[in-house]
Amino acid sequence: MEKKVKKEIVKDWWKYLLGIAIIIFHILPIYVLIVMSFKTKTDSSSLLSFPQKIYTGNYTKVFEAGTLLSAVKNTLIITVCVLLIEIAVGGLAAYPLARNKSKGNNLVKGVILGIMMIPSLSILVGVYSLLVSIHGISTLWGIILVSSAFGLPMTIYLFTNFISAIPVSLDEASAIDGCSVTQTFFSIILPQLKPVTVTIIILNGVGIWNEYAYSLYVLQKPKLYTLTLTISQYFSTGGKDVNGAAAAASIAIFPLIFAYIFLQKYFIQGTIDSAVKG
């Protein structure tokens, strides 16, 4: 048995080498980020080398500035609100699309897929003008609406594929028991969408957490700044503080890492199921 395993390893050596290269490619930037956060401005050592002396002052300055916690709060509010809207609206929209097989629904699905192909920055001017007209600039609800709109197409697409694989007999049994369509969705369908819901939370959540371009134009008041906007202030015209930015960025990425660690089982399952059922 051991000889067989060794032969397979030798045969597929390039796969293991490629896997190691991909791991290094993804871990290296995080390593450099953390190392830089513990260096002083005068430390001229290589980016890959350890600090000459561990310096925690960058983290101290980040918290003493008083803007990071406010940025975390704003980012958290935006992320949670956007995800709740996407899951609720996306699920309710996907249910009839998955259950009613008609030319009209197929057309709607095609439009949704087409919208997913449009780069969000290509319509920045139009979106900004609309927000100005409805007084959505420098408000959290403005960026929440924009982020929800951009995330809904993929959410509806994933939910539709997943719901299509759920037997229609469950809906029929629920209707016989006297449940309405809404009750059927929330009582029967929604509980079965946990894997794909977690997939949406991670994929869209990371995008919202790291969003910068639209936040830069919509959130113009410093008190509304998100994490990405706060970190960008370390590269102002008055000078740049790379080490301070590295410390702030290190703090900003940890919530995402912890969230993925706890949700990875459902994420992997939801990704596989959505691909198979799609």
Side-chain angles (χ1 to χ4, degrees), residues 27-83:
I27 290 180
L28 190 60
I30 299 175
Y31 166 78
V32 172
L33 180 72
I34 295 174
V35 167
M36 288 296 295
S37 70
F38 286 105
K39 289 184 177 182
T40 62
K41 290 183 178 181
T42 57
D43 191 336
S44 58
S45 59
S46 169
L47 293 176
L48 299 178
S49 63
F50 285 103
Q52 298 173 354
K53 181 181 179 182
I54 299 296
Y55 178 68
T56 59
N58 294 317
Y59 289 92
T60 304
K61 286 187 293 184
V62 165
F63 284 106
E64 287 180 348
T67 57
L68 186 68
L69 294 180
S70 175
V72 170
K73 182 191 72 173
N74 293 333
T75 306
L76 192 60
I77 291 172
I78 293 170
T79 303
V80 171
C81 290
V82 171
L83 289 176

Side-chain angles (χ1 to χ4, degrees), residues 129-148:
S129 300
L130 177 61
L131 287 176
V132 169
S133 65
I134 62 175
H135 307 290
I137 300 299
S138 293
T139 62
L140 290 180
W141 64 263
I143 193 66
I144 287 171
L145 287 181
V146 171
S147 299
S148 300

Side-chain angles (χ1 to χ4, degrees), residues 197-254:
T197 300
V198 171
T199 301
I200 291 169
I201 288 174
I202 291 178
L203 292 179
N204 289 4
V206 169
I208 300 161
W209 192 270
N210 295 328
E211 206 284 323
Y212 175 76
Y214 273 86
S215 297
L216 179 63
Y217 290 95
V218 177
L219 304 176
Q220 298 179 3
K221 294 181 180 179
K223 66 177 182 180
L224 298 176
Y225 279 2
T226 57
L227 282 168
T228 51
L229 294 179
T230 301
I231 293 172
S232 70
Q233 299 305 302
Y234 287 91
F235 302 93
S236 62
T237 54
K240 61 180 181 179
D241 183 3
V242 177
N243 304 94
S250 298
I251 296 171
I253 66 174
F254 275 114

Side-chain angles (χ1 to χ4, degrees), residues 150-202:
F150 285 127
L152 272 173
M154 187 180 74
T155 302
I156 295 173
Y157 175 75
L158 292 176
F159 271 143
T160 302
N161 289 341
F162 205 92
I163 294 173
S164 297
I166 299 176
V168 181
S169 56
L170 293 177
D171 302 53
E172 297 170 348
S174 177
I176 293 173
D177 290 338
C179 293
S180 64
V181 175
T182 305
Q183 289 174 326
T184 299
F185 174 76
F186 284 104
S187 302
I188 307 299
I189 303 300
L190 189 59
Q192 300 185 61
L193 301 180
K194 183 187 293 185
V196 70
T197 300
V198 171
T199 301
I200 291 169
I201 288 174
I202 291 178

